Amino acid sequence: MNIGIITQARMTSSRLPGKILKEVKGKSLLTYHIERLKHSGFPVIVATTTNETDNPVIDFCINKGIPYSRGSEENVLSRFYNAAVENNLDIIVRVTSDCPLIDPHLIRNSMEKYLKFNNENLYVSNVIDRTFARGFDFEIFSFRLLEDAYKNATESADLEHVTPYIRKNIKGDTEFYDIKQSKNHNDLRITVDTAEDFQLIQELIVTFDADLLPYNGIEEILLQHPELIAINAHIEQKKV
């Protein structure tokens, strides 16, 4: 089984352009993101667009020796499919590059659970019945499910967000497994989409070395410091 993490990345965020290459302590958010993902033990592939505005992402990947794939800005599903084909993946972990503090061991442990099922119709994630802070998001699915979505999805939302078609379970044979924790921290926000989000990440890394901590350590810092939560508590996540 070839397992790979595909992360989508682009420079033209509507609310915070260029966010993934913004730096904290001399390192870009994309560097933190990929360095943490590599601790999972799985290869990481960056899926970006063919737009010239994303040439800096390609330069980053070349300089860091990270595999990349370029495709449509709007049809992210096709971008993921092509990245999976180019890297001969059997199992895909989907993440997004606006999560610089994503937890690699959470992904690794969840993959071990996924593999035990030995079921290519299985979709595993922590994003449907959400109990983790937003920013630790991941989805695991087979190439077969990805290919089925690529060949059959037609609605713009399905193409833009990659997995909605899989979640619709139109054929009725997809099985779902939610990764959850006992405490519900889904109201915490550790993803980066706005200047306030970046401010929080900066504070977490500079003051608390959050880039060296697991997800529960980061969540605990926030719970102990409500002033940190307040930095971006008013930010609404974009609707899928």
Side-chain angles (χ1 to χ4, degrees), residues 197-214:
D197 293 332
F198 177 74
Q199 180 185 348
L200 174 59
I201 294 296
Q202 190 173 39
E203 185 67 22
L204 285 170
I205 293 175
V206 171
T207 304
F208 299 96
D209 293 323
D211 55 306
L212 305 177
L213 299 176

Side-chain angles (χ1 to χ4, degrees), residues 43-86:
V44 182
I45 300 114
V46 173
T48 191
T49 82
T50 54
N51 299 346
E52 288 188 8
T53 51
D54 286 321
N55 287 346
V57 178
I58 301 304
D59 292 339
F60 171 91
C61 291
I62 292 173
N63 290 335
K64 299 286 187 180
I66 300 164
Y68 64 87
S69 179
R70 304 190 81 163
S72 167
E73 179 177 13
E74 294 81 13
N75 191 340
V76 189
L77 174 57
S78 69
R79 210 193 308 167
F80 266 73
Y81 175 78
N82 290 331
V85 169
E86 291 166 10

Side-chain angles (χ1 to χ4, degrees), residues 24 27-36 100 205 211:
V24 178
K27 290 168 58 172
S28 69
L29 296 189
L30 188 55
T31 299
Y32 285 108
H33 174 73
I34 290 177
E35 284 182 351
R36 284 176 69 89
I205 293 175
D211 55 306

Side-chain angles (χ1 to χ4, degrees), residues 74-234:
E74 294 81 13
N75 191 340
V76 189
L77 174 57
S78 69
R79 210 193 308 167
F80 266 73
Y81 175 78
N82 290 331
V85 169
E86 291 166 10
N87 292 275
N88 195 31
L89 299 184
D90 301 302
I91 301 171
I92 295 96
V93 183
R94 179 193 177 226
V95 298
T96 58
S97 60
D98 52 8
C99 300
L101 297 180
I102 195 165
D103 189 291
H105 306 296
L106 179 59
I107 292 174
R108 180 79 195 188
N109 293 339
S110 300
M111 179 60 73
E112 291 176 0
K113 292 179 181 178
Y114 174 92
L115 292 173
K116 286 180 181 178
F117 283 95
N118 191 28
N119 180 2
E120 67 176 0
N121 292 325
L122 182 65
Y123 166 92
V124 170
S125 82
N126 65 346
V127 303
I128 296 179
D129 190 357
R130 184 184 294 275
T131 59
F132 294 89
R134 188 177 294 276
F136 300 133
D137 302 12
F138 66 88
E139 301 168 278
I140 303 173
F141 45 87
S142 67
F143 178 77
R144 193 202 73 77
L145 286 180
L146 178 62
E147 185 174 45
D148 181 57
Y150 170 74
K151 289 181 176 179
N152 295 294
T154 56
E155 296 182 13
S156 58
D158 294 345
L159 303 179
E160 181 182 355
H161 299 289
V162 183
T163 56
Y165 183 87
I166 295 174
R167 296 189 211 173
K168 289 176 181 178
N169 194 16
I170 293 173
K171 295 180 180 177
D173 57 359
T174 302
E175 297 183 30
F176 298 85
Y177 187 93
D178 295 312
I179 302 296
K180 297 189 288 186
Q181 59 179 339
S182 56
K183 295 181 180 179
N184 190 346
H185 295 152
N186 69 5
D187 57 336
L188 301 179
R189 180 179 175 85
I190 317 175
T191 188
V192 180
D193 198 36
T194 70
E196 293 91 339
D197 293 332
F198 177 74
Q199 180 185 348
L200 174 59
I201 294 296
Q202 190 173 39
E203 185 67 22
L204 285 170
I205 293 175
V206 171
T207 304
F208 299 96
D209 293 323
D211 55 306
L212 305 177
L213 299 176
Y215 75 89
N216 50 357
I218 298 171
E219 289 180 339
E220 190 59 33
I221 289 171
L222 291 177
L223 295 173
Q224 292 177 1
H225 295 272
E227 72 278 8
L228 295 179
I229 297 176
I231 292 174
N232 66 349
H234 62 288

